[in-house]
Amino acid sequence: MSINSVAVLGAGTMGAQIALHSANAGIPTLLLDLTADVARAGLATARKLKPDPQFTPDAFRLVSIGGFDRDLARLSNADWIVEAIVEKLDIKQSLLSRIEPLRRPGSIVSTNTSGIPIGALAEGRAPDFRRHWLGTHFFNPPRYLRLLELIPTPDTDPAVVQRMATFADRTLGKGVVVAKDTPNFIGNHIALYGVVRTLEVLARNGAGAGHAYTIEEIDAITGPALGRPGSATFRTMDIAGLDVLTHVLANLHERLPDVADREAFATPALLEALVARGALGEKSGRGFYERRREASGESAIWTLDPTTLEYRPRQSARLSTLDAAKGLDDVAARVRRLFESADEVGQFLRETLAPTLVYTARVTPDIAYSIDDVDRVMKWGFGWELGPFELFDAIGVARVMDAASAAGGHAVCRGVPPLVQQALDSGRDRFRPGWAPPAGPDLQILRSARARSAVVRANPGASLIDLGDGVLAVEFHSKMNVIGGDTVQMLEAGVREAARNYQAMVIGNDAPNFSAGANLMLVLLEAQEGNWDEIDLMVRAFQQAVMTVRLSEVPVVAAPAGLTLGGGAEVVLHADRVQAAAETYMGLVEVGVGLIPAGGGSKEMLVRSTAHLPTGQSDPLPSVETAFETVALAKISASGPDAVRLGYLSPTDRSTMNRDRLLADAKATALDRVRQGYRPPAPRTAIRVGGESLGARLRLGVHLAWRAGRASDHDKLIGETLAHIFSGGNLPHAADVSEHYLLDLEREAFLSLVAQPKTLARIQHMLKTGKPLRN
């Protein structure tokens, strides 16, 4: 039974976002609260959140609203009803008793509670209700955090669990883990244990032989250096809400069966003091960090002094070991180096990370069904690159146990956990021979292909990998998957290899980002040396590569995900079909570094802008102007569906909600094209361009933006150069031109701009700061 309609009960922070994410997936959703006005206000608040919970600006239109007072009968139309009201057992039970007689038999009912026992909530309900009842614990924000913990009760029908898991995986894009009905399930239980250990070290303030850590130092240690998000520990706590954390800690302290475990989750005094002062984190403007307005009008972040509870200017963390470890791209090697360091970084990790890992190993059999599930929870729900057991393996099981024993305290109060003892007894000093496997056979198929040695050819920038069933993959794997000579070479080699020995080709990777664009450093170095012929050859080679992709003898499907910028977007624009991850942030952003898209991006946006016009006599200006502005303003899509709205993707392109399924879906799309009788396209020789009259109108728009102060002199030059391409060059009137004619215009424009000192300044600034320069 499929799930085609959803009802969300409660329009608070989580409920409204769950409703919007259901709408993102194209599911009509009913959002109810006490009254329709309350639900309307909750939805309006959610729509203003940053990051945006919607894929597109109008996604909310699939959400209808109502109130418990008048609209509960509408629940009879819902295939899935999810409760997300206040965390009070009696209030939740009361609402469930009201909806039981109204739900359709066979419909699934779930709760988004983060800590109330799932079984207790369903007490007193009828057998059919209990068979279709379970916990569905989303993580905030639900659009961006992939984890969904499913918590069945002993009464839940296994078929219902499977039905919900399939829907969450394929339709909502979730990484699904089935958890046991224990206090705070898996993720929050483990994460909060580490938080309390961290706050213990902070509160110690250098007592004994320890280092007096600052909040900035701890965040520097526990962020990207450890393979975790940049929000690290204290910024993450501020975002989550310190009052929410104290509530979760109180629940663990009250409900854990073991007395010693309960005491390990006692709310630290510092956290209690902050909550009592109303310093709740981001929602109140201050927590461990404070956002304040300086006298200059600039916004600034100040940091809490945990001793005085006053805020001071933010300080840089000066930890030489972290600086030295930045050169290690392998996160496992980096973590091992940091853990073993003899300074305050290693000391901190041995006193906090080691006990947390040992505690995790002890409680895993009680809260989860496998160590793989625990690792997936922490990676999908908290953004860790390595889960707890992968961290064990990266450092060494014996070494972690030794460090935890030396640190003493609660984690080792029962000795060596059975799971750890089993790993030690195996003689491998690891829990697994490799990392946690994919969660299913159709997930991360590129990784699986690599594991079976299916690499056909490789260089430092990209590889050709046999995905099976006659499909070849081109995988980018340079840093940030930037496109250089190696990547261009492998793209062309891939098309040739696919034409000889395969039915179809896919371009994609398992990295967070498809491609951050062309190798700007190489462009800058050549420009600084005045090697214009070399730059010309580079652009020609890239243009040839993308045209080879477009005219391929076999269907080529691009599978973008994450950042798909500049040259990366141009590769995608030339594929026969696109299977995009829902979280694809695609854009032609070259103007931000003083250039224009010269790998066919300008050409493709122009062609797409007029392709839908009914006749050759139709006025192309409105469509061309929209495409021109998209490129001139370097617009980036907020999602895969938003890329369709901006014209980077076409309505025939497809979207995949679950990132781990992307390559499997792209492969299926490629084989569909084979079955449909794919034929390679002919080179375009009759692209209609507007000539001088259209160019003048585009340049007028640029001039007005410059006059209004919205564009600098250099912006004006770039805009006029781009208008030259979009109007077809120096043509006195409308005419038909070829693809290669437009590619020549792109290349000439690129070479003229890259010679400009202000463009070189923009490139240097981007490479140094990662941010565009307005000059």
Side-chain angles (χ1 to χ4, degrees):
M1 293 176 63
S2 59
I3 295 175
N4 297 311
S5 57
V6 173
V8 182
L9 310 181
T13 300
M14 285 301 292
Q17 288 190 85
I18 292 169
L20 285 172
H21 191 59
S22 176
N24 286 337
I27 306 295
T29 303
L30 173 64
L31 178 63
L32 301 181
D33 210 300
L34 293 172
T35 66
D37 286 342
V38 174
R40 184 179 296 107
L43 183 63
T45 298
R47 290 177 55 204
K48 297 174 185 175
L49 292 174
K50 298 298 179 187
D52 195 338
Q54 300 183 97
F55 282 171
T56 59
D58 61 352
F60 75 96
R61 298 189 187 281
L62 273 178
V63 180
S64 57
I65 59 171
F68 299 154
D69 54 345
R70 297 182 178 180
D71 299 293
L72 279 180
R74 296 168 65 185
L75 296 177
S76 63
N77 298 317
D79 296 323
W80 171 37
I81 302 167
V82 54
E83 171 275 311
I85 62 171
V86 64
E87 286 285 276
K88 298 288 186 182
L89 175 64
D90 57 341
I91 297 176
K92 287 179 183 287
Q93 286 179 325
S94 175
L95 180 59
L96 294 178
S97 70
R98 294 174 65 189
I99 71 172
E100 181 174 13
L102 302 172
R103 62 175 280 270
R104 184 170 65 242
S107 63
I108 297 174
V109 186
S110 72
T111 175
N112 185 56
T113 183
S114 61
I116 297 175
I118 308 300
L121 285 168
E123 288 178 0
R125 306 277 69 79
D128 183 76
F129 187 102
R130 294 200 306 272
R131 283 195 300 272
H132 293 84
W133 167 256
L134 73 167
T136 49
H137 182 216
F138 289 83
F139 278 62
N140 189 23
R143 170 185 166 182
Y144 297 95
L145 290 182
R146 288 187 55 211
L147 178 63
L148 178 67
E149 291 177 318
L150 290 187
I151 309 98
T153 73
D155 294 327
T156 309
D157 186 338
V160 169
V161 178
Q162 185 57 54
R163 180 181 165 200
M164 192 69 232
T166 299
F167 172 76
D169 167 4
R170 295 181 179 273
T171 304
L172 299 182
K174 291 297 168 186
V176 177
V177 171
V178 178
K180 297 180 181 180
D181 191 2
T182 58
N184 296 101
F185 318 128
I186 300 173
N188 284 337
H189 187 163
I190 292 170
L192 267 294
Y193 188 88
V195 163
V196 175
R197 306 290 77 77
T198 297
L199 288 171
E200 286 174 348
V201 171
L202 181 69
R204 192 176 60 204
N205 196 31
H211 174 76
Y213 294 92
T214 66
I215 285 173
E216 292 97 335
E217 286 175 335
I218 292 175
D219 270 356
I221 296 169
T222 59
L226 207 60
R228 297 182 184 176
S231 55
T233 297
F234 294 106
R235 176 68 180 136
T236 297
M237 292 168 69
D238 277 354
I239 293 170
L242 305 191
D243 53 337
V244 174
L245 294 178
T246 57
H247 173 78
V248 176
L249 284 170
N251 190 61
L252 287 160
H253 187 256
E254 293 167 9
R255 291 187 52 220
L256 286 172
D258 183 86
V259 174
D261 288 350
R262 291 201 294 270
E263 290 307 311
F265 287 93
T267 303
L270 176 59
L271 204 53
E272 289 183 330
L274 288 171
V275 172
R277 290 160 61 101
L280 306 180
E282 186 75 15
K283 68 180 77 174
S284 65
R286 60 193 179 115
F288 288 101
Y289 293 102
E290 180 184 46
R291 190 182 301 277
R292 61 170 61 185
R293 186 73 60 184
E294 302 283 32
S296 64
E298 297 275 329
S299 177
I301 303 296
W302 285 40
T303 308
L304 180 76
D305 181 328
T307 304
T308 65
L309 296 186
E310 299 296 328
Y311 293 90
R312 55 163 175 75
R314 200 171 183 176
Q315 301 170 353
S316 296
R318 294 182 174 86
L319 300 167
S320 59
T321 299
L322 290 184
D323 295 334
K326 286 180 180 177
L328 291 173
D329 291 333
D330 184 307
V331 64
R334 189 167 67 245
V335 168
R336 187 164 54 250
R337 169 84 63 86
L338 295 175
F339 190 90
E340 295 291 6
S341 65
D343 64 357
E344 59 268 27
V345 174
Q347 177 186 340
F348 176 84
L349 293 176
R350 290 188 292 273
E351 292 184 358
T352 58
L353 179 61
T356 300
L357 297 182
V358 171
Y359 178 76
T360 299
R362 175 156 70 78
V363 299
T364 286
D366 299 323
I367 65 176
Y369 290 98
S370 72
I371 64 171
D372 295 340
D373 283 344
V374 170
D375 278 349
R376 290 175 189 134
V377 161
M378 301 312 292
K379 291 193 288 187
W380 292 342
F382 295 87
W384 293 13
E385 289 186 51
L386 297 178
F389 292 95
E390 290 172 324
L391 286 167
F392 253 121
D393 289 348
I395 299 166
V397 175
R399 183 69 185 98
V400 171
M401 193 67 221
D402 288 345
S405 298
H410 166 264
V412 293
C413 65
R414 296 187 191 170
V416 181
L419 282 177
V420 172
Q421 191 63 56
Q422 291 170 20
L424 295 174
D425 290 345
S426 72
R428 294 194 310 265
D429 199 32
R430 297 178 60 92
F431 285 97
R432 308 183 189 91
W435 305 119
D442 293 331
L443 301 175
Q444 296 181 317
I445 65 168
L446 193 63
R447 174 183 167 188
S448 299
R450 274 190 169 280
R452 63 172 186 268
S453 302
V455 177
V456 176
R457 184 175 170 184
N459 66 26
S463 297
L464 304 183
I465 299 176
D466 187 342
L467 294 181
D469 300 315
V471 179
L472 180 71
V474 179
E475 177 195 23
F476 301 167
H477 46 62
S478 59
K479 187 170 184 179
M480 289 294 288
N481 290 325
V482 297
I483 297 171
D486 288 339
T487 311
V488 169
Q489 178 188 32
M490 202 57 67
L491 265 178
E492 292 200 82
V495 174
R496 291 194 300 269
E497 177 69 21
R500 284 194 301 265
N501 299 310
Y502 293 84
Q503 298 184 81
M505 190 174 95
V506 168
I507 305 172
N509 53 68
D510 286 334
N513 299 306
F514 178 80
S515 173
N519 188 335
L520 283 178
M521 178 60 76
L522 187 57
V523 173
L524 177 65
L525 292 174
E526 296 291 0
Q528 288 174 331
E529 295 295 324
N531 294 331
W532 312 119
D533 288 344
E534 285 298 320
I535 295 176
D536 180 72
L537 288 173
M538 288 163 52
V539 177
R540 286 178 186 270
F542 186 46
Q543 289 180 339
Q544 178 179 318
V546 295
M547 286 300 292
T548 300
V549 167
R550 198 183 93 71
L551 303 176
S552 170
E553 294 180 28
V554 299
V556 176
V557 175
L563 293 179
T564 305
L565 304 177
E570 289 176 306
V571 170
V572 173
L573 285 167
H574 287 81
D576 173 62
R577 290 289 187 273
V578 179
Q579 185 77 40
E583 298 298 343
T584 295
Y585 317 118
M586 185 172 177
L588 295 169
V589 296
E590 285 85 349
V591 298
V593 290
L595 298 167
I596 54 92
S602 302
K603 163 185 70 78
E604 284 299 311
M605 293 299 284
L606 173 60
V607 170
R608 291 168 184 230
S609 70
T610 58
H612 69 285
L613 296 179
T615 71
Q617 303 305 313
S618 303
D619 182 8
L621 178 64
S623 298
V624 173
E625 193 170 44
T626 298
F628 172 79
E629 288 180 358
T630 297
V631 179
L633 298 177
K635 293 182 180 180
I636 299 175
S637 70
S639 64
D642 195 48
V644 177
R645 182 183 68 87
L646 292 175
Y648 294 130
L649 300 182
S650 71
T652 58
D653 292 327
R654 301 174 180 176
S655 184
T656 294
M657 291 292 283
N658 188 334
R659 173 69 175 86
D660 284 353
R661 289 193 178 279
L662 179 61
L663 271 294
D665 288 351
K667 176 182 172 182
T669 297
L671 292 174
D672 281 348
R673 293 292 289 141
V674 173
R675 286 188 287 270
Q676 291 163 6
Y678 168 85
R679 293 290 182 270
R684 301 184 186 109
T685 57
I687 301 168
R688 196 69 175 169
V689 295
E692 173 56 28
S693 63
L694 187 143
R697 291 153 87 180
L698 294 179
R699 290 193 298 275
L700 175 62
V702 174
H703 179 78
L704 292 175
W706 173 75
R707 284 284 299 273
R710 299 194 305 272
S712 67
D713 290 346
H714 197 49
D715 291 330
K716 182 171 178 284
L717 173 63
I718 298 164
E720 290 171 343
T721 305
L722 189 64
H724 180 73
I725 299 169
F726 270 72
S727 61
N730 295 320
L731 298 176
H733 49 71
D736 290 340
V737 300
S738 70
E739 286 186 274
H740 286 288
Y741 173 85
L742 292 174
L743 288 172
D744 287 344
L745 290 181
E746 286 186 356
R747 192 173 62 257
E748 291 165 4
F750 187 94
L751 288 167
S752 71
L753 289 171
V754 78
Q756 296 288 326
K758 288 185 177 180
T759 288
L760 298 184
R762 288 190 178 193
I763 295 174
Q764 286 178 308
H765 190 268
M766 177 64 73
L767 290 171
K768 183 177 181 179
T769 69
K771 299 176 181 178
L773 171 69
R774 289 294 304 278
N775 60 355

